[in-house]
Structure formats: structure tokens, C-alpha cells
Amino acid sequence: RTASEAIQCKTGLEQFVAGGKPTQTPLLSKMYMARSKLIRRSLEAATLFHGRENLQLLNLGGGLDIGYTDIAETQFVVDLPNTLKNLPPSNQLPANTHYITCNLEDTDALSRSLSVHSFDFYRPTIVLMECVLSYIREDAAQKLLRWINEHVRHCVFIAYDPICGVNASESKAKSFSRMMLERFQDRKAPLLSVVASTSSYTSRMFDCDWPFVRTYTLSHALQLLLSENDATLYVRGELFDEYASLQTLLNLYGLCLAGNNSSWYQSWTKQLELRDEKPTEIRRRQLLFARIATLEAHVSAMEQRQTRRNQLTRP
């Protein structure tokens, strides 16, 4: 179900960008636009070191998405049988893509299945996982991350996942996190291994022996990976409440960029121009949002204290 909804969201996004009616709320449409732009930007930058003709793309949990066939010479998409059975007829599928049914929690079966389809474990490989690890049990997720690092010998890794800081200090972020977790639970697709912060995500990768890792919130990644004009396009809101809600939502998802080859990883991140910049209009608005949120918290606390005083002074 989630795979079908994901491809429907992407199709709706393409229609929305083309000027059509969005299939999601404007807030979610903007988040999907930001996600799509960042993933595409990360993938294209990763191809420059070796060249697309020398690469293979391993899309784990790729589901029904056939939108990355131009990134590498060969693509391998791995997902559950119940998901891949909904693919279009074979004559409508890209010729350079292998579709492989496998449970990602079973890394031995994954090794065998990839070998059967002539996956080259020593060839430069881009590994992509979009909202996949969070659906896997934590122990199995760590096992899979170690397997990728150990068996795909020359790779860069791109992952996009929820980061639900339910212990966040900001009340809005906390309520958004809980609401998101409850929604997935209600849809019978619980998030099983959600980390609480970008630093926790990075630590998990280091624990799985990845030597090079950077993790960013979606909001932060927009600042670092896109031009200011592009980033502003994706995060602006017509009203302050809309902007504040969008910023909260963007901070509940993370983009992880990792690798196990120093030369490729350093070239890749340099192409992405990941660097700290002087405060831009986006950053200034984020700081303004944080200050207003702090003021709102102070006002709320004062109102609560006044209410208690009134209750105590009543006859």
C-alpha cells in the first residue's frame, strides 16, 4: 500500500509542477518537491566521479518507482513480492533495470538474489534507500547497513528517512512527530526503527562501520545542496503559519549521505558543495520562526500562571 501511494504522490507531484492540481495538500506537495529535488541532485552529483556508463544503481525498497533509469548503466530494484507484483507489464519496464523480489531483512537471500541477476559487488555502485530503513526492525536495519558496507565494496549511499524527535523541546515538533508515528501505526505500516535526530542517524551509520557519513534534516539539506533561489521556492509559505508548519515538517525528515571509498566520497560531497554559508533569507526566517516559537512558549507559560493565580484567589 505505501509503495503504491508513494508512486501516486510522485505522479501527482509531476502534475503539480507542470501546473496541474496537486494530489496532496499544498504543504505535503512542497515537501515532496523538496525531497524529489534533493534526491535527484544527490544522485546526479554521485555520477560525476566515475561516469554514468561505469555505474550501477542499487535501489533497495525501490518499489514501483522507475524514475532513476538515467542515473546508471544498470539499475537493480529490490522489494517485497507483494509490491513488485503491481509493476506494469514487462514490455513497459525499462530495459536496463532488474526487478528482484527479496525481504531486505534477509541479507543472505539478498546476496544470492543479486548474484543471480549478475550484480557486480566490486563495481562502483550508488545505493539508494528512500523511506525504507524506518520500516525495518532496528536490529535488521543495522545488519543490512553493515551488509551494504561490507559487500558492496565501492559505493556511495543515499538514504531518506523520518527523524521523529518525540522528545523535542519545541511543542509543535513534538506533536508533529507523535502525529506522524500514530498515522503510520493506524495505516498498519508502523515505523519500526525511527531515530530521534540527525546525530543519532550518523551514530548508527558509524556503529555499522561506515567511514564517511553526513546526515542533515531536509530543511538544512535544502540550504546546503540547492541554490538560494531554488531552496526558497520549496520552503516559502504564503502565510506565517503555513511557513512554520512546513519548516517543522522539513525538520522531521533526514537525508543521509555516506560512502566507503574516500576518493569518491570526497569528490561527491565537493560536487554537492556541502559547506556552511552565511545566513541567507531562508536561515533568517528560520531564526525568526524559532524566536517567535520561544516567545509563544513564554506567553503560554505566563497565561497558565495567571490562570492558576486566578483560580487560587477565587472565593
Side-chain angles (χ1 to χ4, degrees), residues 234-250:
Y234 294 118
V235 301
R236 69 187 179 193
E238 298 301 325
L239 301 173
F240 178 79
D241 285 348
E242 178 186 326
Y243 172 76
S245 297
L246 179 58
Q247 285 299 318
T248 301
L249 188 59
L250 291 174

Side-chain angles (χ1 to χ4, degrees), residues 1-6 135 180-191:
R1 177 182 172 183
T2 54
S4 298
E5 290 178 349
Y135 290 106
M180 184 163 65
L181 290 170
E182 290 170 359
R183 185 185 176 199
F184 280 99
Q185 183 72 40
D186 292 342
R187 295 168 69 247
K188 310 299 183 185
L191 302 181

Side-chain angles (χ1 to χ4, degrees), residues 3 30 49 70 120 128 131 156 195 200 233 240 273 280 296:
K30 287 184 178 181
F49 187 72
D70 62 319
D120 188 344
L128 175 63
C131 285
V156 293
V195 296
S200 298
L233 173 66
F240 178 79
E273 298 182 341
T280 62
E296 288 177 342

